[in-house]
């Protein structure tokens, strides 16, 4: 098991460094810079002085090495759009709304999706199966900004049950959480249905039924446990993807989260903030997949045995 973890960790580190190089090169490949544009014209001498002060006049390879050296020391620099605070301070402040709303969306949507998938699998080819499958398909195919707009139209404009946008009070969180919960609910409904149908067709289920075990005991003690492996392993990557903020959801509901700063960092060529956000998301995804691989190996020892054989 230790060799398995070391192998996955090394693979994660290589992936992180490759992604950091790609992000850095693509970021600087976009035409323009932090001091270009008609909204903030600067004389050439002042612009050159600022570029030298920020190290932007250096070769790209030197800029990359200097930045990554700071990253190793947890120094992500100072954002150009907010010089009075550090990049980490700004991210820590902006991450709270994204983490709260996105996290609650996953924690609410995933169990609902599992229940829908179980109901569909246990009532295959019935109206329950068709309804659950239709809900899952709609949740995965309709863009999140369309879902967000429909939620505002129905619950805020027509019914006047909730505020249309904002962050402050908890009642303003309802619609964003519903929007965030759509994808986890749909994803888990499809995974749960597929996994349970696959497990129900296994020979051991037929043997258990032949032994006279009740259907309830077979489902909850054997089928559900064996079907849980793929559902457990997708939880962390999905949580990271949603809890790091959605550009569309946060823009529509006017939530001051990471998504808004991600857009502004690209528009304003705020290299330290843009790079830090991309590295944060990449690192969280790498760690989530590492933990998922370890969990999968613990739940399914054949994965480890296969690794030894290779």
């Amino acid at each position: 098991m230790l060799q398995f973890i070391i192998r996955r960790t090394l693979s994660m580190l290589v992936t992180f460094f490759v992604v950091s190089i790609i992000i850095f090169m693509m970021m600087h490949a976009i035409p323009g810079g932090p001091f270009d544009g008609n909204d903030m014209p600067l004389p050439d001498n002042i612009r050159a002085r600022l570029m030298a002060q920020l190290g932007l006049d250096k070769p790209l390879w030197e800029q990359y090495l200097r930045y990554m050296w700071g990253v190793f020391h947890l120094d992500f620099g100072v954002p150009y759009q907010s010089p009075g605070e550090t990049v980490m301070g700004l991210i820590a402040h902006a991450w709270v709304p994204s983490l709260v709303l996105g996290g609650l969306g996953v924690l609410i949507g995933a169990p609902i999706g599992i229940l829908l998938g179980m109901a569909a699998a246990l009532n295959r080819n019935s109206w329950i199966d068709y309804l659950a499958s239709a809900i899952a398909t709609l949740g995965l195919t309709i863009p999140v900004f369309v879902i967000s707009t429909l939620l505002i139209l129905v619950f805020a404009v027509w019914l006047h049950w909730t505020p249309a946008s904002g962050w402050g009070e908890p009642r303003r969180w309802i619609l964003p959480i519903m929007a965030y919960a759509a994808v986890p609910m749909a994803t888990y409904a499809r995974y749960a249905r597929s996994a349970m149908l696959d497990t129900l067709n296994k020979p051991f289920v037929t043997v258990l039924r032949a032994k006279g075990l009740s259907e309830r005991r077979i489902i909850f003690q054997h089928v559900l446990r064996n079907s849980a492996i793929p559902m457990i392993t997708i939880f962390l990557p999905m949580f990271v993807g949603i809890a790091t903020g959605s550009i569309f959801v946060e823009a529509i509901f006017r939530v001051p989260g990471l998504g808004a700063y991600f857009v502004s960092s690209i528009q304003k060529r705020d290299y330290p903030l843009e790079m830090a956000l991309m590295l944060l998301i990449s690192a969280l995804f790498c760690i989530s997949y590492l933990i998922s691989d370890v969990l999968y190996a613990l739940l399914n020892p054949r994965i480890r045995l296969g690794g030894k054989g290779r």
Side-chain angles (χ1 to χ4, degrees), residues 190-210:
R190 292 178 65 88
Y191 266 88
R193 180 184 183 276
S194 176
M196 288 200 65
L197 286 177
D198 182 66
T199 306
L200 285 170
N201 291 325
K202 298 289 186 183
F204 79 89
V205 176
T206 304
V207 173
L208 292 175
R209 285 171 175 162

Side-chain angles (χ1 to χ4, degrees), residues 114 188 191-192 194-196 198-199 202 204 222-237 291-304:
I114 292 173
Y188 267 94
Y191 266 88
S194 176
M196 288 200 65
D198 182 66
T199 306
K202 298 289 186 183
F204 79 89
H222 300 278
V223 175
L224 188 59
R225 184 176 61 183
N226 285 275
S227 304
I229 295 177
M231 291 186 283
I232 291 174
T233 53
I234 67 169
F235 178 79
L236 281 177
I291 297 175
S292 298
D293 286 343
V294 173
L295 287 176
Y296 199 92
L298 290 174
L299 295 171
N300 188 358
R302 289 175 296 179
I303 298 297
R304 287 174 286 164

Side-chain angles (χ1 to χ4, degrees), residues 101-220:
L101 299 180
L104 289 175
V106 175
L107 293 177
I108 292 173
I112 295 176
I114 292 173
L115 292 177
L116 283 175
M118 289 177 59
L122 296 176
N123 298 274
R124 189 177 183 182
N125 295 327
S126 68
W127 68 269
I128 298 177
D129 185 15
Y130 298 143
L131 178 61
S133 299
I135 293 174
T137 302
L138 290 174
L140 290 174
T141 54
I142 298 179
V144 69
F145 62 86
V146 176
I147 295 176
S148 301
T149 305
L150 290 175
L151 289 173
I152 292 176
L153 185 64
V154 173
F155 294 102
V157 177
W158 291 348
L159 300 177
H160 302 284
W161 286 358
T162 63
S165 61
W167 160 245
E169 50 187 344
R171 61 194 296 260
R172 296 182 180 274
W173 304 357
I174 297 175
L175 295 185
I177 290 174
M178 292 174 65
Y180 274 121
V183 172
M185 180 186 68
T187 303
Y188 267 94
R190 292 178 65 88
Y191 266 88
R193 180 184 183 276
S194 176
M196 288 200 65
L197 286 177
D198 182 66
T199 306
L200 285 170
N201 291 325
K202 298 289 186 183
F204 79 89
V205 176
T206 304
V207 173
L208 292 175
R209 285 171 175 162
K211 289 182 176 180
L213 271 71
S214 66
E215 194 70 14
R216 177 186 294 270
R217 185 176 177 183
I218 293 174
I219 296 298
F220 287 98

Side-chain angles (χ1 to χ4, degrees):
M1 187 62 183
L2 181 59
Q3 292 181 354
F4 178 85
I5 295 175
I6 293 174
R7 190 166 59 246
R8 287 292 192 269
T9 302
L10 292 176
S11 175
M12 180 192 73
L13 292 176
V14 172
T15 302
F16 178 77
F17 280 112
V18 171
V19 169
S20 69
I21 294 173
I22 294 174
I23 293 172
F24 191 86
M25 299 304 295
M26 290 182 63
M27 185 175 65
H28 285 273
I30 300 175
F35 307 111
D36 296 331
N38 298 324
D39 57 336
M40 193 173 59
L42 291 174
D44 291 340
N45 59 336
I46 296 179
R47 182 179 179 277
R49 188 185 308 166
L50 289 174
M51 295 285 285
Q53 181 180 349
L54 296 173
L56 298 177
D57 59 338
K58 306 292 184 184
L60 285 182
W61 65 268
E62 185 175 346
Q63 293 184 45
Y64 173 78
L65 292 178
R66 286 188 175 189
Y67 185 83
M68 293 306 294
W69 178 258
V71 170
F72 288 138
H73 295 82
L74 299 180
D75 179 11
F76 291 85
V78 176
Y80 300 157
Q81 57 186 285
S82 181
E85 57 184 330
T86 64
V87 168
M88 290 305 297
L90 191 150
I91 291 178
H93 174 74
W95 199 2
V96 174
S98 299
L99 185 61
V100 171
L101 299 180
L104 289 175
V106 175
L107 293 177
I108 292 173
I112 295 176
I114 292 173
L115 292 177
L116 283 175
M118 289 177 59
L122 296 176
N123 298 274
R124 189 177 183 182
N125 295 327
S126 68
W127 68 269
I128 298 177
D129 185 15
Y130 298 143
L131 178 61
S133 299
I135 293 174
T137 302
L138 290 174
L140 290 174
T141 54
I142 298 179
V144 69
F145 62 86
V146 176
I147 295 176
S148 301
T149 305
L150 290 175
L151 289 173
I152 292 176
L153 185 64
V154 173
F155 294 102
V157 177
W158 291 348
L159 300 177
H160 302 284
W161 286 358
T162 63
S165 61
W167 160 245
E169 50 187 344
R171 61 194 296 260
R172 296 182 180 274
W173 304 357
I174 297 175
L175 295 185
I177 290 174
M178 292 174 65
Y180 274 121
V183 172
M185 180 186 68
T187 303
Y188 267 94
R190 292 178 65 88
Y191 266 88
R193 180 184 183 276
S194 176
M196 288 200 65
L197 286 177
D198 182 66
T199 306
L200 285 170
N201 291 325
K202 298 289 186 183
F204 79 89
V205 176
T206 304
V207 173
L208 292 175
R209 285 171 175 162
K211 289 182 176 180
L213 271 71
S214 66
E215 194 70 14
R216 177 186 294 270
R217 185 176 177 183
I218 293 174
I219 296 298
F220 287 98
Q221 290 191 8
H222 300 278
V223 175
L224 188 59
R225 184 176 61 183
N226 285 275
S227 304
I229 295 177
M231 291 186 283
I232 291 174
T233 53
I234 67 169
F235 178 79
L236 281 177
M238 179 181 294
F239 185 87
V240 169
I242 294 179
T244 49
S246 167
I247 296 172
F248 300 110
V249 172
E250 293 182 359
I252 292 173
F253 293 105
R254 294 192 297 175
V255 176
L258 287 181
Y261 282 104
F262 185 77
V263 174
S264 66
S265 68
I266 296 175
Q267 292 175 340
K268 299 178 180 179
R269 305 293 192 273
D270 193 339
Y271 297 141
L273 180 58
E274 184 180 353
M275 189 72 177
L277 288 172
M278 294 298 293
L279 288 180
L280 171 66
I281 295 172
S282 301
L284 290 176
F285 268 114
C286 288
I287 294 172
S288 68
Y289 279 114
L290 172 63
I291 297 175
S292 298
D293 286 343
V294 173
L295 287 176
Y296 199 92
L298 290 174
L299 295 171
N300 188 358
R302 289 175 296 179
I303 298 297
R304 287 174 286 164
L305 293 176
K308 287 183 178 182
R310 290 190 297 271

